[in-house]
Amino acid sequence: MSSPLKQNTEVLFLIDGSKDVSKRLFERQKTFVKKLLIHFNISLNGPYGSILLYDTNTSKVSIFSPHNFTQRIDDTTQYGRPRRMDRALEQAYLQLSRSDIKGRKIAVLLTAGRDDPRSGSRSVGEAAKQLKQLGVQTFVVAIGSDHSISELQKATDKKEDVFQVLKQSKLSLQSQLVAKHIKDKPCK
């Protein structure tokens, strides 16, 4: 299977592991990411993939497609603290800005709701500014209905880069649509 992405592409997946995410939804997010890995043909030789798990903090699960990438995803457990998408996007910027890979950079943010209003978080649009300045193409997969889609769109280049999946049971069915949209989007 040839990849729909060029070999020097780097894709960073941000998985929502916050307290509002049920165990079932957490597993569905992991399945969705694994399907995208297949669609993109992520490998050690590129295109490259990495995973960040986020809630209040952000943890690196896997960086740049190690040999056991899908196993690392399967073994990932959530911590269950309040959601902070701004910190996830900040960590994405740090990781992608330090990368030696010089091709297209993509961030795929999965979220199952709004940030905790008591957390003092910045807006996702504000948090994504550094990613945009770096030339990262950001895509958002909003799971459920507890979102401000207009706010999430501020993290992306175009409103079409936000995918709302109202029923979590339909998440994995959206992998092909999301993969095609990312593949067909012109590079910056």
Side-chain angles (χ1 to χ4, degrees):
M1 166 199 272
S2 67
S3 175
L5 299 175
K6 292 182 179 178
Q7 271 192 282
N8 64 345
T9 301
E10 182 176 354
V11 184
L12 177 60
F13 300 94
L14 298 103
I15 298 176
D16 188 346
S18 63
K19 69 179 181 176
D20 298 332
V21 174
S22 69
K23 205 163 194 47
R24 174 176 268 172
L25 177 53
F26 188 69
E27 293 302 317
R28 286 181 169 151
Q29 287 183 85
K30 293 190 311 186
T31 299
F32 176 80
V33 169
K34 288 189 289 187
K35 285 186 174 212
L36 286 179
L37 295 173
I38 293 167
H39 287 299
F40 294 152
N41 197 22
I42 299 292
S43 75
L44 284 170
N45 300 317
Y48 303 92
S50 53
I51 305 286
L52 293 176
L53 172 67
Y54 76 95
D55 53 16
T56 300
N57 298 317
T58 305
S59 307
K60 294 174 187 164
V61 173
S62 186
I63 300 177
F64 307 132
S65 308
H67 194 69
N68 58 353
F69 200 48
T70 56
Q71 185 62 48
R72 295 285 306 271
I73 295 170
D74 288 337
D75 293 344
T76 301
T77 57
Q78 67 188 109
Y79 302 120
R81 293 179 288 246
R83 182 180 299 107
R84 288 287 303 264
M85 288 181 277
D86 63 328
R87 288 188 176 165
L89 293 167
E90 290 165 4
Q91 186 63 44
Y93 167 77
L94 289 173
Q95 182 170 324
L96 293 170
S97 67
R98 295 173 180 161
S99 170
D100 293 334
I101 300 164
K102 300 299 180 205
R104 182 180 181 196
K105 295 186 185 309
I106 298 167
V108 180
L109 172 70
L110 285 84
T111 180
R114 299 172 190 257
D115 281 344
D116 185 319
R118 299 166 296 195
S119 68
S121 64
R122 297 185 304 146
S123 73
V124 293
E126 184 65 32
K129 279 184 180 178
Q130 289 181 302
L131 285 170
K132 287 182 178 184
Q133 291 168 351
L134 189 60
V136 175
Q137 292 177 308
T138 303
F139 301 88
V140 178
V141 179
I143 308 158
S145 59
D146 183 27
H147 300 283
S148 168
I149 297 299
S150 61
E151 182 62 29
L152 293 174
Q153 289 171 344
K154 293 176 184 174
T156 66
D157 294 328
K158 295 188 176 198
K159 65 181 182 177
E160 295 83 18
D161 296 338
V162 176
F163 300 88
Q164 187 169 24
V165 181
L166 292 173
K167 293 186 177 185
Q168 61 176 272
S169 61
K170 305 287 185 191
L171 181 60
S172 68
L173 298 174
Q174 298 300 310
S175 65
Q176 188 170 8
L177 173 74
V178 173
K180 182 176 179 0
H181 179 78
I182 292 171
K183 174 193 80 120
D184 291 346
K185 182 156 182 153
C187 298
K188 288 184 175 184

